[in-house]
Amino acid sequence: MKQNGLIKFRHLFALLLALSMLPALFSCTDGKTDDSDTVPPETTEAPAASPLTLAEDGKVIARVIRGFNASDEEINAAMAVRQALLGLFPGSNVEIADDFSKDKTYNSDTVEILVGKTEYPQTTEAMKNLKYGDYGTVISGNKVLLISHASNTFPLLASNFCDVLRKSVSADKKSLVLSPDACSVDSFSRELNAVPVADAKLGTIISCGDSAYQLYFSPAQADDLDAYLGKLKSDGYTVTSDREVGSNRFCSLTSSSYAVTAYYTDTNKTVRVIVEPIANYYGVGTATSDKKVTPSVTMIGRRFSKTSTYLDCDAGAGLMCFLMQLSDGRFVVIDGGVSDGTEQSYSQALYSKMVELAPDKNNIVIAAWFFTHSHSDHIGGFRSFSVSYSGKVKLEAILNNFPSETDHKVSDEKNDYTNFRAALGYWPKAPPYKLHTGQRFAIRDAVFEV
């Protein structure tokens, strides 16, 4: 998915920049203050879970239940659990079925293994108390629950649970009693556990790479964003940016360790919440001017063919790479064109233009290098430039929003991405930052909108 970013130079020029975005549990804090005039309600401690019999007399007595709208990972996990039970107790009739969201049937007395986000009340209640970065198994009455907010944890969750089943079989192989002590909740993400659980119904969790995770709520309303911002602030997050663009709203918040980008888009009634380490966050600058040169924009490019076409359009030129010079003489680079191999004409053209424009030829500074997306004709030249000129140029920041490494491994661009990541090693003093939709920040007299 690509978003448009508008680069504004005060009284100078405007340039449209397309930055592709990939577009990676909740606490119960509600922000209410203590009221000394209010008598607190009586509270009772929840009863401890009891051991649950899943098989007796050599036969499985439990059903396996998955949600009617289960993800592929949840479906496969349910099948794995069923197969494990059949392997332990051959000849049993182990039923696997959808939850009552399809046929509206439900019996609290039936022994069942609930896999994933079922509509059963036990699942609903357990999910309210499960942090976004946690997954595990719990016993609730006659049900044992395999729960997680993130679908990609279910292969591991099912594997762990099947191991527990095998260890819980009696010595005579006639019964299987699941002990509460054999059930546990583990964590796979500190980042997801750093934000509260929303009241709005979560659609999915997406790994965005660079230890960033996106919580996706749809359908949602603008009020859902307001409610969640309140939870974040109650948890100690500070709002660093809150802006409206048309009927959309974009917010950034930070704590001492994490950054959160939360936004609502009205056209698809969606709230997205991205949480990541604070090191990913570029911050919000204020436009300032220190004029040493006249700002300019140069496109670095070359033509490979005069006959290449794609969809009946000229495709023989382009390979985007823009060089922008700020008023203070520093540069901003957008993309890097293709890898030049041994020829390196792309890298040479970029460096030669910097030397031509720099007020101090021996002190060339790139304030920021943007990468719109990870296709080879946009990131390939970065490696060539890094190899040849990292010792002659200072780079202060790298700005992008690439997909996760898992996504890159199955893409056609995986080799170029691997080379790009390797090239970052040439710039140990240039931290990479992850940009998100709706962010707005300044680098000297240039104002960028993502």
Side-chain angles (χ1 to χ4, degrees):
M1 175 174 70
K2 294 188 178 180
Q3 303 289 342
N4 288 333
L6 185 61
I7 303 169
K8 302 175 182 176
F9 270 68
R10 187 177 304 163
H11 308 303
L12 295 173
F13 53 81
L15 174 65
L16 187 65
L17 167 63
L19 278 171
S20 72
M21 299 293 146
L22 242 184
L25 284 148
F26 294 45
S27 70
C28 297
T29 305
D30 59 7
K32 294 181 180 178
T33 57
D34 184 33
D35 188 344
S36 57
D37 296 330
T38 301
V39 178
E42 289 189 19
T43 58
T44 57
E45 190 172 324
S50 301
L52 182 61
T53 300
L54 301 179
E56 58 187 9
D57 298 326
K59 299 292 182 181
V60 176
I61 63 172
R63 299 199 309 164
V64 179
I65 302 295
R66 66 192 184 206
F68 182 61
N69 295 311
S71 66
D72 289 343
E73 293 86 352
E74 291 170 333
I75 292 172
N76 291 334
M79 293 174 63
V81 170
R82 178 178 182 269
Q83 287 301 119
L85 290 171
L86 288 173
L88 294 171
F89 299 93
S92 293
N93 179 24
V94 181
E95 181 184 357
I96 186 168
D98 295 321
D99 59 15
F100 71 88
S101 61
K102 180 179 180 181
D103 56 19
K104 305 300 182 184
T105 61
Y106 168 71
N107 188 335
S108 61
D109 295 329
T110 304
V111 178
E112 291 171 319
I113 302 170
L114 310 183
V115 180
K117 299 174 186 176
T118 77
E119 295 294 332
Y120 279 20
Q122 291 89 344
T123 301
T124 301
E125 189 61 30
M127 294 294 283
K128 289 180 181 177
N129 299 310
L130 187 71
K131 294 181 178 180
Y132 284 128
D134 286 348
Y135 67 101
T137 56
V138 297
I139 294 176
S140 177
N142 286 321
K143 319 294 181 189
V144 55
L145 288 59
L146 279 64
I147 50 176
S148 176
H149 290 281
S151 293
N152 62 2
T153 61
F154 277 93
L156 177 59
L157 181 52
S159 177
N160 291 345
F161 182 67
C162 290
D163 286 340
V164 170
L165 292 178
R166 297 182 187 99
K167 295 175 182 177
S168 301
V169 175
S170 62
D172 61 5
K173 310 296 183 182
K174 294 293 185 181
S175 64
L176 192 164
V177 179
L178 187 65
S179 167
D181 294 338
C183 300
S184 63
V185 174
D186 300 306
S187 177
F188 71 93
S189 168
R190 289 175 295 180
E191 290 76 23
L192 286 170
N193 283 350
V195 294
V197 173
D199 295 327
K201 187 175 181 180
L202 177 68
T204 188
I205 294 177
I206 302 167
S207 173
C208 303
D210 305 300
S211 298
Y213 293 89
Q214 180 183 129
L215 305 171
Y216 182 89
F217 303 91
S218 184
Q221 302 297 325
D223 290 346
D224 293 321
L225 177 59
D226 270 325
Y228 195 66
L229 291 175
K231 284 178 173 281
L232 287 167
K233 288 186 281 189
S234 293
D235 273 14
Y237 283 87
T238 300
V239 177
T240 58
S241 176
D242 188 344
R243 53 193 295 264
E244 293 184 0
V245 181
S247 56
N248 306 317
R249 185 179 176 193
F250 304 95
C251 306
S252 297
L253 305 93
T254 59
S255 68
S256 59
S257 301
Y258 300 98
V260 173
T261 301
Y263 62 97
Y264 171 75
T265 47
D266 187 63
T267 185
N268 54 5
K269 308 298 181 186
T270 297
V271 169
R272 289 179 171 89
V273 177
I274 302 161
V275 56
E276 58 196 328
I278 191 68
N280 284 8
Y281 181 61
Y282 189 58
V284 180
T286 301
T288 59
S289 180
D290 182 15
K291 189 167 184 177
K292 297 179 180 178
V293 300
T294 300
S296 63
V297 178
T298 303
M299 182 174 181
I300 309 297
R302 58 178 178 170
R303 177 171 287 278
F304 288 91
S305 170
K306 295 183 179 180
T307 59
S308 299
T309 61
Y310 178 70
L311 298 179
D312 298 324
C313 296
D314 180 5
L319 306 173
M320 191 169 110
C321 178
F322 287 105
L323 176 65
M324 306 167 58
Q325 188 173 36
L326 308 175
S327 294
D328 66 355
R330 294 186 300 165
F331 297 98
V332 171
V333 183
I334 304 167
D335 283 342
V338 294
S339 178
D340 298 310
T342 56
E343 184 182 359
Q344 296 191 357
S345 58
Y346 231 95
S347 301
Q348 288 176 359
L350 181 59
Y351 178 72
S352 296
K353 194 64 179 179
M354 289 180 183
V355 172
E356 175 188 332
L357 296 174
D360 183 352
K361 316 302 182 186
N362 297 315
N363 185 28
I364 298 175
V365 180
I366 302 174
W369 197 323
F370 288 87
F371 294 95
T372 62
H373 62 290
S374 54
H375 282 173
S376 58
D377 57 331
H378 291 258
I379 67 172
F382 177 68
R383 178 173 175 80
S384 301
F385 187 91
S386 300
V387 171
S388 299
Y389 302 111
S390 57
K392 301 178 180 180
V393 173
K394 179 183 178 182
L395 176 58
E396 296 181 331
I398 298 168
L399 308 174
N400 66 74
N401 186 337
F402 289 170
S404 67
E405 291 201 29
T406 300
D407 289 331
H408 275 107
K409 286 179 181 178
V410 297
S411 75
D412 294 335
E413 309 291 336
K414 57 185 177 182
N415 292 333
D416 297 286
Y417 176 74
T418 299
N419 290 336
F420 173 84
R421 299 293 296 193
L424 297 179
Y426 287 91
W427 310 97
K429 296 183 179 181
Y433 298 96
K434 202 169 186 72
L435 301 181
H436 300 291
T437 302
Q439 285 182 317
R440 189 175 189 270
F441 52 87
I443 304 176
R444 289 300 187 189
D445 49 337
V447 178
F448 297 82
E449 283 187 16
V450 182

